[in-house]
Amino acid sequence: MERTPWRTRYLVFGSPDIRREEYEEVAACLDSRWIGTGPRVARLEEAFRTYIGAPAVAAVNSGSAALQLALKVLGLPSGSEVITSTMTFCATANAIVHAGCVPVLVDCVRETMNLDVEAAARRITPRTRAIVPVHFAGRPCDMPAITALARAHGLAVVEDCAHAIEATIDGRHCGTFGDVGCFSFYVTKNVTTVEGGMVACREPALADRIAVLTMHGMTKDARYRYRDDGYVHYDVQEPGFKHNLTDLAASLGLHQLARVEAGWRRRRELWAHYLEALRDLPLILPVAPPPTVRHAFHLFTCLVDDGATNVTRDEVLRRLHHLRIGCGVHYRAVHLLDYYRRTFPGGGPFPNAEYISERTFSIPLSPAVTDEDAADVVRALHTVLG
Ligand SMILES: Cc1ncc(COP(=O)(O)O)c(C=O)c1O
């Protein structure tokens, strides 16, 4: 098995770009002794709200929590059907299950990997209550079509924007088209707080309720009950969760968000480089987005073109690993995963998602990837597939 003579350091997939500002903010937060939910979370909420142009937001401690709380506050009756794409991370479907609903998985479009809106329309029944489009890899879904479909059938829309912080359609940010937009600040995401996330709501009352639910359901002022202006009693209006973001985490997020556009420009540069440098290999590369949308360039997904090579996707992953290049698989479709196969059999067909599941792998694209790293990725892929 080949070992790169040109790489000693393993190129970790999705490694974050952490700068001096983050170190200093974390130190300042620790020095302040207010490390739980407090003023830095409030600053991050306001900065994020302004960035995406949402009426209201609430910080949470993961993208998964964002999805779970979004579905909870929409008050969907138990057993409601919620449509989403099978080409997503398990967290999307898990949140639907946790909300007491039935996930109705539909196929994606092969080129965009986004929800097939016509397939979604065919799965609407009298029990359907919501639709959860996922802006896959940072490519915006067809939100005008999805919101029109939702309006026609009285469905709520929760956008899974885990990949799509910078994504827009006609200049409007993803996450502001539906009732709630759910963002993730996980380590590999375009903005990271290690673990964290944000909900963006069209109705400020929904964001307020989510904020309360992140902290056991305690009234909102409870997050400041240990402040130096005296203890504040709290009340509980409904049983909540422990899904609050901490100021220590927000210390990272404040500076990550301040550099979000610079990170996007760097990933766009890497994206263009990969498209050019990999075009002669037996790979199916991402298609260009239409001019009206802004792709967030979160994942650079390649499909192994098995009509042009005998090397399988898993063999590519194994050999890239030996060449010290870390890759991801986004994703094996949800309907293929054990729990979903057993619990929600049938549905489909899913020819596009299954085609992608068998062939896809994602190469390093974070702003921490240097020109030398990117050259190593390209060289390794030429070694494996050239
Ligand atoms: C599409 C999608 N949805 C939801 C999530 C969940 O986000 P988190 O890991 O912050 O819980 C992820 C995270 O990877 C994701 O990729």
Side-chain angles (χ1 to χ4, degrees):
M1 186 57 61
E2 58 276 71
R3 286 245 167 228
T4 38
W6 65 85
R7 273 204 84 80
T8 49
R9 186 174 56 86
Y10 193 82
L11 181 54
V12 176
F13 179 82
S15 64
D17 177 32
I18 303 293
R19 304 264 173 109
R20 181 58 39 205
E21 306 88 273
E22 278 94 319
Y23 284 86
E24 287 170 1
E25 193 75 40
V26 166
C29 178
L30 291 171
D31 284 345
S32 79
R33 298 295 189 266
W34 193 291
I35 60 176
T37 304
R40 284 181 169 82
V41 168
R43 270 167 55 202
L44 181 61
E45 285 174 332
E46 185 48 25
F48 193 85
R49 195 191 65 72
T50 305
Y51 177 69
I52 67 159
V57 302
V60 292
N61 62 1
S62 70
S64 305
L67 288 163
Q68 288 166 27
L69 292 173
L71 291 164
K72 163 107 183 144
V73 297
L74 289 171
L76 312 175
S78 168
S80 298
E81 293 176 358
V82 176
I83 294 175
T84 194
S85 172
T86 189
M87 184 42 62
T88 185
F89 187 49
C90 57
T92 319
N94 290 350
I96 295 170
V97 174
H98 289 313
C101 299
V102 176
V104 174
L105 301 169
V106 301
D107 204 8
C108 61
V109 175
R110 189 179 298 181
E111 290 71 30
T112 64
M113 304 189 186
N114 277 334
L115 181 79
D116 178 338
V117 184
E118 285 170 19
R122 287 194 294 272
R123 298 297 304 279
I124 292 174
T125 74
R127 290 179 303 283
T128 309
R129 290 285 180 279
I131 182 160
V132 183
V134 182
H135 303 291
F136 191 90
R139 184 186 299 273
C141 291
D142 185 348
M143 289 314 297
I146 291 169
T147 49
L149 182 69
R151 252 196 319 275
H153 294 272
L155 311 180
V157 177
V158 174
E159 293 174 71
D160 184 334
C161 305
H163 302 172
I165 293 174
E166 306 92 334
T168 63
I169 303 170
D170 288 325
R172 179 170 162 191
H173 269 271
C174 290
T176 65
F177 290 88
D179 297 280
V180 189
C182 299
F183 295 84
S184 165
F185 300 154
Y186 176 60
V187 277
T188 59
K189 296 299 192 274
N190 296 352
V191 163
T192 185
T193 58
V194 187
E195 300 287 359
M198 194 73 77
V199 292
C201 301
R202 191 171 31 215
E203 291 296 331
L206 282 190
D208 282 347
R209 184 153 166 236
I210 287 175
V212 166
L213 288 172
T214 63
M215 279 259 218
H216 310 289
M218 299 192 302
T219 36
K220 204 174 173 191
D221 284 350
R223 62 164 77 173
Y224 296 114
R225 67 192 181 283
Y226 299 117
R227 211 160 45 182
D228 57 6
D229 51 1
Y231 189 82
V232 183
H233 285 292
Y234 60 84
D235 205 348
V236 172
Q237 275 132 16
E238 62 177 317
F241 303 86
K242 196 70 197 349
H243 285 336
N244 56 306
L245 190 71
T246 66
D247 269 22
L248 200 56
S251 302
L252 297 179
L254 284 167
H255 296 283
Q256 290 273 309
L257 185 60
R259 291 200 311 274
V260 68
E261 288 295 308
W264 179 82
R265 286 192 295 276
R266 173 59 181 159
R267 293 193 312 279
R268 182 179 59 171
E269 209 170 76
L270 290 166
W271 185 283
H273 172 64
Y274 285 149
L275 277 183
E276 176 62 27
L278 303 177
R279 66 178 181 179
D280 294 332
L281 293 179
L283 290 173
I284 300 167
L285 300 175
V287 294
T292 49
V293 312
R294 186 190 204 214
H295 197 302
F297 301 129
H298 176 58
L299 297 171
F300 192 95
T301 53
C302 308
L303 304 187
V304 174
D305 183 358
D306 55 355
T309 179
N310 290 327
V311 184
T312 64
R313 185 269 312 277
D314 287 355
E315 181 67 5
V316 172
L317 288 174
R318 205 167 59 79
R319 291 177 67 186
L320 287 176
H321 170 70
H322 277 281
L323 292 167
R324 307 190 67 69
I325 307 293
C327 292
V329 171
H330 303 90
Y331 294 97
R332 284 171 60 223
V334 172
H335 72 276
L336 300 173
L337 304 176
D338 183 51
Y339 169 82
Y340 288 94
R341 236 187 3 220
R342 278 189 287 110
T343 319
F344 306 103
F350 307 102
N352 297 328
E354 288 175 7
Y355 183 91
I356 293 163
S357 297
E358 285 293 304
R359 295 165 179 81
T360 192
F361 66 100
S362 309
I363 56 179
L365 186 70
S366 94
V369 171
T370 65
D371 288 351
E372 295 70 40
D373 293 333
D376 286 347
V377 172
V378 168
R379 194 154 25 156
L381 279 167
H382 278 268
T383 304
V384 172
L385 288 165

